[in-house]
Amino acid sequence: MDTKVLYVTAVVIAAVSGGFYYFGGKGNKLQADSSKSMTYSAENINLTQTDEQGKLHIRAQVDRLEQDLQKQTSHLVNLKASTYQDGAVDATFFAKQANGMDDNQKVVLSDNVVATKLMREGQMEFRTEELTAFPKLREIETDKTVTVVSPQAEFVSQGLKANLNDGQYEFFNIRGKYEP
């Protein structure tokens, strides 16, 4: 057998194998799989997010962010966030730690959490050690002790469920004072 025939056969096999590998997408799949397993981190983050109409929706500052794309989780340190409605600040949130799950569909704020809802009559402030927020639904909840301070009342509740869209609040085992 002639060496020329062997070389041509080897080149044809290499070309077919390489073409199959390249056009089969295995190279791209390997790159995508390796980037999904990466954990990203960043420091001193300032975030501004708008809604579908281009109106300001959220502003946030975070000292440190760690994000795992494969698990769709994030960990934030020193979160300070403001949500907006109709171009004005609607609520603010502060927590020393925050953990986001399911691509931040659910965010658990912890360690000296302060959530403030701004209203026409003043502001209502919630202080607790842990608060679960559902940003897209604009709902918050906790089963931990919550200190609530508003212009009309100051009390302690053993838990909270709140819908920030319609201002519906549910408190459990309340102890405090109310001044109409």
Side-chain angles (χ1 to χ4, degrees):
M1 191 174 216
D2 192 22
T3 56
K4 186 177 180 181
V5 174
L6 285 175
Y7 285 129
V8 171
T9 306
V11 169
V12 168
I13 290 172
V16 169
S17 298
F20 182 77
Y21 181 80
Y22 180 77
F23 291 108
K26 287 194 177 214
N28 292 337
K29 288 178 188 174
L30 289 174
Q31 285 179 344
D33 289 343
S34 67
S35 69
K36 277 180 126 179
S37 67
M38 295 180 83
T39 300
Y40 297 100
S41 66
E43 293 187 9
N44 300 322
I45 300 167
N46 291 306
L47 166 79
T48 301
Q49 182 180 12
T50 58
D51 62 12
E52 294 81 22
Q53 290 80 32
K55 294 180 183 176
L56 188 57
H57 181 62
I58 294 176
R59 273 206 173 135
Q61 293 177 321
V62 179
D63 288 350
R64 180 162 176 75
L65 164 72
E66 294 175 8
Q67 187 174 25
D68 187 327
L69 294 178
Q70 189 172 20
K71 295 178 184 175
Q72 293 187 331
T73 60
S74 58
H75 176 76
L76 301 100
V77 177
N78 288 331
L79 169 70
K80 296 173 190 157
S82 299
T83 60
Y84 290 76
Q85 197 161 26
D86 298 324
V89 176
D90 179 52
T92 62
F93 299 90
F94 172 79
K96 288 187 177 182
Q97 305 286 325
N99 291 300
M101 290 150 247
D102 298 325
D103 203 21
N104 293 326
Q105 297 293 316
K106 175 182 175 182
V107 180
V108 179
L109 308 172
S110 60
D111 200 5
N112 293 326
V113 178
V114 178
T116 306
K117 172 67 173 152
L118 304 174
M119 305 174 297
R120 279 184 242 127
E121 306 84 32
Q123 65 184 30
M124 184 180 297
E125 185 177 272
F126 308 97
R127 292 184 174 273
T128 186
E129 282 303 308
E130 184 176 285
L131 185 69
T132 302
F134 301 93
K136 289 198 181 204
L137 301 173
R138 293 181 41 88
E139 294 178 354
I140 57 176
E141 65 181 37
T142 186
D143 59 356
K144 307 291 185 212
T145 301
V146 180
T147 302
V148 180
V149 179
S150 74
Q152 299 86 15
E154 185 176 322
F155 58 91
V156 176
S157 172
Q158 188 57 46
L160 158 75
K161 282 189 178 186
N163 184 323
L164 300 177
N165 292 314
D166 59 14
Q168 295 294 313
Y169 302 94
E170 189 175 347
F171 300 102
F172 309 98
N173 299 324
I174 299 173
R175 301 225 187 276
K177 59 184 177 183
Y178 176 75
E179 295 176 13

